[in-house]
Amino acid sequence: MSDERELLSRTAELAADFLDTLDKRPVWPLASMEELRHILGGSLPDEPTDPARVIEELAQDVEPGITAIPGGRYFGFVTGGTLPAALAADWLTSAWDQNAFLAVSSPAAAVIEEVAGEWLKELLGVPAQASFAFVTGCQMAHVTCLATARHAVLERAGWDVARDGLWSAPRIRVVAGAMRHVTIDRALRLLGLGTGSLVEVAADEHGRMRADALAEVLAELKGPVIVCAQAGEVNTGAFDPLPEIADLAQAGGSWLHIDCAFGIWAAASPTLRHLVAGHERADSWAFDAHKWLNVPYDCGVAMCAHPVPHRTAMTMQAAYLKSKETGRDGSDWGPDSSRRSRGVTVYAALRSLGRRGVADLVDQCCARAQEFAAQISKLPGCTILNDVEINQVLFRFADDETTNTVLSHVQASGEAWMGSTTWDGRAAIRVSVSNWRTTEADIERTVAAFERALAAVAS
Ligand SMILES: *Cc1c(COP(=O)(O)O)cnc(C)c1O
C-alpha cells in the first residue's frame, strides 16, 4: 500500500474507534483547557513530521478533550449528530477537494448541489421556484436572506442598495419577535441595518410572536419593512403563528423572512407538518442541515422565493469568472467565493434516508423528547415548562438553586449533557433531542442521572 492509502485507512479506523466509544465515554470531557493546552501546545515545529505520526498523535492527544456531541446523550443547544452516509460523504468531499464556487470549476459539485437544493425544497414544502445557497449555518443563511430582503425592499422604494449602499437610503424597519434568535441581531449588524432598526413584537408565554401585537406594530410603520418570524423557538420549540403573520406581512407589502433553523424539519413529517403550515408563503427561509438533518458541521441553507433579487444581492462577477458550462454557479447565491461543496453531505443524507427516513428521524427525536418529559416530570419538584410539541423539553426543579445544582451534577457525571437557560426570570434546563442515535435507553439513563443528582442534592 502507498503511504497515503495506508494513512487514510488508518484514519478511518481511528474515526470508527472513536465512534465506538460514544456509548461509554463521559459526554462532557474530563480534561481541563489547561491540560489540553499542555498536551497540544508548545512551540511551532521547525521541521516536518511524518503525516502518520501527526494523525496518530492528534487522535490520541485530543481524546480527553472531545465532547460526545455525536452520541445519543448530548442534548445541548440544538445540535444534531451525524448520519453514517453524511459522515462518509464529508470525507469524500475533502478528498475530492472541489471548489464549489463555479460550475466551471466542478461540474459534479454544481450538479450535486442543484439536486440537493431541489430535493430539500420538495421535502420541506418550499415553493419550487425558490433559489438557494449552501452556507456555513443558519447565521449566514440569515445574512444571505436578509441581504436579499434589504435589496428587494429598497428596490421597491426606488433605491439601488447594490450601487449606492445605505447612505441616505430610506430607513428599513425590521420587525421581529421578542424571543427571536440572537443570530438575527448579528445579521442586522453585519448588514449595516443595525439593531436600532429592530421593532420588537411581544411574545406569548411559549415564546411565540403574538399576531395581534404584530398587527399593531405594522399599522404604525411606514416605509420598507422586513418581518422576521420564527419556526422553532430554541427553548420551547414553539412555532410563531405563521398563517396570521403571512397575512399581515402580505397586506402591508413587507418581506417575510422565517428563521426555521431546526423547525422546518417538522415539514418532513406527515404527523408534524401542520406546525409549519403557512411557511410556504414566506419570501425567505434560513435553516440548518447540521442540526436536525444530522450532517456534520458545517452546513446551513438559505432559500429565497425571489431568485432575481437573491442573485442580484449575492452575485460576484468578473471577466475571468465566466462559466462556459450552463451550470449553477454557487457563488451567485451565497456570501462565499471559494468553498467546499457543502451540498454533498446533504445529498448523501437525503439519499440514505429517503423521504420516509427523514420523517422517521424527526418523529423519533420527538418521541424521545416525549419520553424524557414524561419520565423527568415524575421526579420530585420537577415542572415541565413548555408544550412538548417537537424535540425540545424545558423544565426546572423546585427552586433555582436545586435546578442549577442538579444540572451541574448531571453534567459532571458524564452521563449526559444539556445546558441551562433563564425562562420567566428563573433558572431552567433545556433538552434538545436532535440526534438519530438517541435511544429509549439513552433517555432512561439520562433520567436516572437526574434522579441520582436530586438524591445527592437532597442529602
Ligand atoms: C441554531 C439556531 C440558529 C443559528 O444557527 P447556526 O447554525 O448556529 O448558525 C438560528 N436560529 C435558531 C432558531 C437556531 O436554533
Side-chain angles (χ1 to χ4, degrees):
M1 277 202 290
S2 71
D3 285 353
E4 194 173 30
R5 180 170 288 270
E6 209 168 305
L7 174 65
L8 294 179
S9 303
R10 175 65 187 142
T11 305
E13 242 171 60
L14 288 168
D17 287 348
F18 163 71
L19 294 177
D20 281 346
T21 68
L22 285 175
D23 240 13
K24 294 159 251 160
R25 70 190 296 126
V27 177
W28 180 253
L30 302 171
S32 67
M33 302 284 170
E34 215 30 69
E35 285 166 319
L36 291 169
R37 279 186 201 108
H38 181 72
I39 300 169
L40 294 160
S43 50
L44 170 69
D46 285 325
E47 301 301 327
T49 304
D50 177 46
R53 187 164 152 213
V54 172
I55 294 305
E56 219 50 70
E57 291 180 359
L58 178 64
Q60 201 173 31
D61 292 351
V62 299
E63 177 57 27
I66 294 281
T67 308
I69 290 179
R73 280 167 289 108
Y74 183 86
F75 304 104
F77 310 98
V78 182
T79 298
T82 299
L83 293 163
L87 172 59
D90 195 54
W91 291 355
L92 284 176
T93 305
S94 291
W96 294 330
D97 197 23
Q98 302 291 285
N99 187 345
F101 81 140
L102 293 179
V104 77
S105 78
S106 176
V111 172
I112 212 164
E113 293 202 340
E114 193 177 293
V115 175
E118 295 304 321
W119 283 357
L120 282 175
K121 283 190 276 175
E122 193 183 329
L123 182 70
L124 301 174
V126 171
Q129 92 278 2
S131 45
F132 56 86
F134 290 99
V135 295
T136 47
C138 197
Q139 170 73 76
M140 287 313 287
H142 287 326
V143 169
T144 304
C145 292
L146 294 174
T148 304
R150 180 182 68 169
H151 185 93
V153 298
L154 286 178
E155 188 174 49
R156 276 181 231 151
W159 187 267
D160 182 354
V161 71
R163 189 189 60 204
D164 301 326
L166 289 169
W167 298 112
S168 312
R171 181 91 200 260
I172 298 175
R173 309 314 298 245
V174 181
V175 178
M179 295 305 288
R180 70 187 173 280
H181 196 267
V182 288
T183 47
I184 293 281
D185 298 51
R186 178 154 62 181
L188 298 179
R189 299 201 318 263
L190 294 177
L191 290 167
L193 296 171
T195 48
S197 65
L198 270 168
V199 185
E200 203 170 87
V201 180
D204 70 10
E205 70 277 20
H206 303 281
R208 294 181 294 230
M209 184 197 284
R210 275 177 35 204
D212 60 328
L214 174 65
E216 280 171 28
V217 163
L218 288 178
E220 294 296 310
L221 294 179
K222 289 182 197 65
V225 171
I226 300 168
V227 176
C228 295
Q230 181 167 257
E233 200 275 335
V234 284
N235 298 293
T236 62
F239 291 75
D240 284 356
L242 299 176
E244 287 93 327
I245 293 173
D247 284 344
L248 290 165
Q250 204 170 352
S254 42
W255 181 283
L256 175 58
H257 172 68
I258 306 183
D259 177 354
C260 42
F262 62 98
I264 198 169
W265 294 95
S269 155
T271 50
L272 297 170
R273 195 166 288 155
H274 63 279
L275 294 169
V276 269
H279 85 298
E280 71 286 350
R281 294 170 61 194
D283 296 292
S284 57
W285 303 258
F287 59 95
D288 276 312
H290 58 214
K291 287 180 179 171
W292 220 346
L293 184 60
N294 283 210
V295 308
Y297 290 100
D298 44 33
C299 188
V301 186
M303 289 191 168
C304 288
H306 316 283
V308 174
H310 183 184
R311 192 171 193 278
T312 313
M314 302 315 292
T315 193
M316 175 184 78
Q317 280 165 354
Y320 79 104
L321 294 176
K322 291 257 184 302
S323 270
K324 279 201 299 298
E325 306 276 341
T326 48
R328 181 180 180 277
D329 291 335
S331 65
D332 275 344
W333 307 100
D336 299 308
S337 175
S338 299
R339 65 173 173 89
R340 94 194 256 94
S341 180
R342 293 196 192 92
V344 175
T345 57
V346 171
Y347 177 89
L350 294 179
R351 218 177 132 174
S352 84
L353 293 177
R355 204 188 289 270
R356 188 160 58 80
V358 179
D360 288 348
L361 166 65
V362 170
D363 289 343
Q364 181 188 308
C365 288
C366 296
R368 297 292 93 86
Q370 291 287 351
E371 288 158 18
F372 181 82
Q375 293 173 33
I376 201 84
S377 66
K378 296 201 184 103
L379 299 188
C382 180
T383 312
I384 305 289
L385 302 167
N386 65 327
D387 287 340
V388 184
E389 277 187 317
I390 50 166
N391 61 333
Q392 307 292 115
V393 185
L394 186 67
F395 63 103
R396 67 164 61 105
F397 292 100
D399 50 65
D400 281 6
E401 201 194 328
T402 311
T403 302
N404 291 327
T405 321
V406 165
L407 177 60
S408 301
H409 265 76
V410 171
Q411 289 171 339
S413 74
E415 277 289 279
W417 200 93
M418 67 285 292
S420 60
T421 188
T422 303
W423 191 255
D424 284 341
R426 288 177 54 199
I429 302 171
R430 313 171 50 230
V431 157
S432 174
V433 189
S434 330
N435 189 334
W436 70 276
R437 280 189 207 271
T438 302
T439 60
E440 287 175 51
D442 286 320
I443 297 298
E444 281 160 21
R445 257 176 90 170
T446 304
V447 175
F450 272 100
E451 211 168 346
R452 284 194 298 276
L454 262 178
V457 169
S459 65

